[in-house]
Amino acid sequence: MIGIPGTVYGYVRVSTKEQNEDRQMIAMRKAGVPAGNIFLDKQSGKDFARPQYKKMLRKMKKDDLLFIKSIDRLGRNYEAIQHEWRALTKDKGVDICVLDMPLLDTRRGKDLVGTFLSDIVLQVLSFVAENERTNIRQRQAEGIAAAKARGVRFGRPPRPMPDNFREVYEQWKGGAISAGEAAAACGVARSTFYHRVKEYEKV
């Protein structure tokens, strides 16, 4: 039997600003979450230092209800998910409903068996969430390594040598000017000038 909740909230998270949150927002509306009570973060799930999540926590009180689409939207760190779940349900007295996993609905089965089953499901799903995060990082690292092996360069493209670099280099190399004067003549920092010298002398 599901009782009448207090205020209903929804939490939505995507890992980057480029990702689309529409699927989660639609699920929140279908669950009956008021638009003003849906909180959205666009950042990694590695921890809970997220501005909108923290803002939502400040508003929530005992007997409120929180909807999330799936456990990995809450987070992707196994121990952090476990800790946050207990803080919400036990310390704050909030109910949580995971829409993609009906067994994870703390309004149901508040007896010993129901709590036991929910704990098992939570542990399994939070482990899967962290494992997927690890796999994503591994795939990214492998992709970067493969790209580097193909000659793909990452980061900002190097700025071209100043037009007067060769002339200034010859003066500096011949002792006519100091490194600081050479750097100033090229319009770069001294460290950049030395870096360009190394590049130039490799050619």
Side-chain angles (χ1 to χ4, degrees):
M1 180 72 180
I2 296 177
I4 299 174
T7 305
V8 178
Y9 293 92
Y11 181 67
V12 172
R13 184 186 68 79
V14 290
S15 297
T16 66
K17 291 180 179 180
E18 290 73 31
Q19 288 183 337
N20 194 303
E21 68 275 8
D22 287 354
R23 189 172 62 89
Q24 294 179 69
M25 298 296 282
I26 290 169
M28 294 298 134
R29 288 195 288 270
K30 284 184 177 179
V33 182
N37 287 355
I38 300 174
F39 292 80
L40 165 66
D41 277 311
K42 294 192 175 188
Q43 76 184 73
S44 166
K46 65 179 180 180
D47 57 43
F48 287 88
R50 310 173 211 141
Q52 289 301 305
Y53 182 80
K54 289 163 75 173
K55 181 178 179 181
M56 181 183 72
L57 283 187
R58 291 194 294 270
K59 290 178 173 287
M60 297 180 81
K61 58 189 184 300
K62 189 177 186 299
D63 296 325
D64 285 346
L65 172 61
L66 172 62
F67 283 103
I68 55 175
K69 183 74 169 67
S70 58
I71 198 67
D72 62 348
R73 298 305 88 198
L74 186 63
R76 283 193 180 275
N77 179 289
Y78 178 78
E79 290 185 359
I81 292 172
Q82 304 281 321
H83 178 271
E84 199 67 19
W85 187 277
R86 285 191 293 270
L88 287 167
T89 59
K90 301 292 192 288
D91 302 342
K92 219 169 177 60
V94 171
D95 277 311
I96 306 175
C97 176
V98 180
L99 294 170
D100 283 355
M101 179 52 64
L103 279 174
L104 279 181
D105 185 342
T106 60
R107 298 171 297 173
R108 303 177 185 272
K110 289 183 180 287
D111 58 5
L112 186 61
V113 174
T115 301
F116 175 69
L117 288 174
S118 291
D119 284 348
I120 290 175
V121 174
L122 175 62
Q123 289 186 40
V124 171
L125 291 181
S126 55
F127 170 78
V128 170
E130 175 161 342
N131 192 54
E132 177 59 17
R133 176 171 170 253
T134 301
N135 289 339
I136 288 171
R137 285 159 54 189
Q138 183 177 342
R139 288 195 295 268
Q140 287 174 338
E142 289 172 351
I144 290 170
K148 285 182 176 178
R150 295 194 305 270
V152 176
R153 298 185 65 179
F154 292 87
R156 293 181 180 178
R159 293 176 64 181
M161 293 281 191
D163 292 338
N164 64 338
F165 179 81
R166 184 172 180 177
E167 177 186 346
V168 172
Y169 168 82
E170 296 294 346
Q171 291 177 353
W172 169 76
K173 198 71 173 175
I177 58 174
S178 68
E181 290 170 330
C186 291
V188 298
R190 185 180 298 197
S191 58
T192 303
F193 175 73
Y194 282 129
H195 179 69
R196 291 308 177 100
V197 166
K198 288 181 181 179
E199 290 181 339
Y200 181 72
E201 290 179 345
K202 284 180 183 178
V203 179

